[in-house]
């Protein structure tokens, strides 16, 4: 089960890292342009599914790894996938939040919604750093599982 969660997390991180980092590339190769166009056509659905998956996987990883920690698995092997899933949630949030915003307006204070909008603006204005974080987590997760 952990292997499947890891593959899904790495795939989703690759998709969102490509999406976030592609904006900082002035002249994109045709393959990158085609991939980004395909992602952007379905970004609302991808964002919602990724947000739900990221939240689920963040809480599932420690539960699934609880028995493995006593058998010699390092604590970094648990926290790195959790951090990767939380980064995935942060990356998907700007694309998925507008689906939940209408329902939250009646239940949440306007000041809190304003702060959530400010967070979304921060994520999208610093997209190359968020994308670089996602790419670095891909490398780290692959490196941890290689050893």
């Amino acid at each position: 089960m952990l292997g499947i969660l890891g593959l899904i997390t790495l795939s989703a991180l690759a998709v969102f890292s490509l999406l976030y980092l592609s904006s900082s590339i002035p002249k994109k190769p045709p393959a990158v342009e085609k991939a980004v166009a395909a992602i952007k056509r379905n970004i609302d659905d991808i964002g919602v599914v990724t947000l739900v998956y990221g939240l689920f996987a963040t809480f599932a990883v420690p539960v699934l790894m609880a028995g493995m920690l006593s058998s010699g698995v390092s604590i970094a092997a648990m926290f790195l996938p959790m951090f990767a899933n939380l980064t995935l949630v942060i990356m998907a949030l700007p694309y998925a939040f507008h689906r939940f915003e209408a329902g939250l307006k009646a239940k949440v204070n306007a000041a809190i919604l304003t702060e959530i909008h400010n967070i979304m603006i921060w994520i999208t204005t610093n997209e190359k750093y968020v994308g670089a974080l996602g790419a670095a987590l891909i490398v780290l997760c692959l490196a941890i599982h290689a050893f």
Side-chain angles (χ1 to χ4, degrees), residues 54-114:
L55 289 171
F56 166 75
T58 299
F59 294 109
V61 166
V63 171
L64 294 172
M65 290 191 78
M68 300 172 83
L69 291 176
S70 62
S71 64
V73 174
S74 72
I75 201 84
M78 180 176 74
F79 282 115
L80 190 60
M82 285 175 55
F83 186 61
N85 288 317
L86 283 175
T87 303
L88 198 55
V89 168
I90 291 169
M91 292 173 121
L93 199 56
Y95 299 106
F97 181 69
H98 66 87
R99 291 253 181 117
F100 306 114
E101 188 175 11
L104 290 175
K105 279 186 181 180
K107 298 176 184 174
V108 178
N109 189 341
I112 294 173
L113 281 177
T114 303

Side-chain angles (χ1 to χ4, degrees):
M1 180 77 167
L2 280 172
I4 294 170
L5 288 177
L7 286 174
I8 294 170
T9 299
L10 288 177
S11 300
L13 274 174
V15 166
F16 277 97
S17 294
L18 176 68
L19 183 65
Y20 277 81
L21 290 175
S22 69
S23 64
S24 63
I25 301 171
K27 186 171 169 114
K28 298 176 202 64
V32 172
E33 285 182 5
K34 192 175 183 180
V36 169
I39 293 168
K40 285 186 178 181
R41 274 194 305 268
N42 302 310
I43 193 62
D44 290 341
D45 296 331
I46 292 171
V48 171
V49 169
T50 304
L51 181 67
V52 171
Y53 166 77
L55 289 171
F56 166 75
T58 299
F59 294 109
V61 166
V63 171
L64 294 172
M65 290 191 78
M68 300 172 83
L69 291 176
S70 62
S71 64
V73 174
S74 72
I75 201 84
M78 180 176 74
F79 282 115
L80 190 60
M82 285 175 55
F83 186 61
N85 288 317
L86 283 175
T87 303
L88 198 55
V89 168
I90 291 169
M91 292 173 121
L93 199 56
Y95 299 106
F97 181 69
H98 66 87
R99 291 253 181 117
F100 306 114
E101 188 175 11
L104 290 175
K105 279 186 181 180
K107 298 176 184 174
V108 178
N109 189 341
I112 294 173
L113 281 177
T114 303
E115 288 304 316
I116 292 172
H117 279 288
N118 291 340
I119 291 169
M120 301 302 148
I121 291 169
W122 184 88
I123 292 170
T124 53
T125 56
N126 295 308
E127 61 188 3
K128 66 180 174 181
Y129 301 118
V130 175
L133 175 64
L137 284 171
I138 292 171
V139 172
L140 284 174
C141 285
L142 290 174
I144 264 213
H145 289 292
F147 295 109

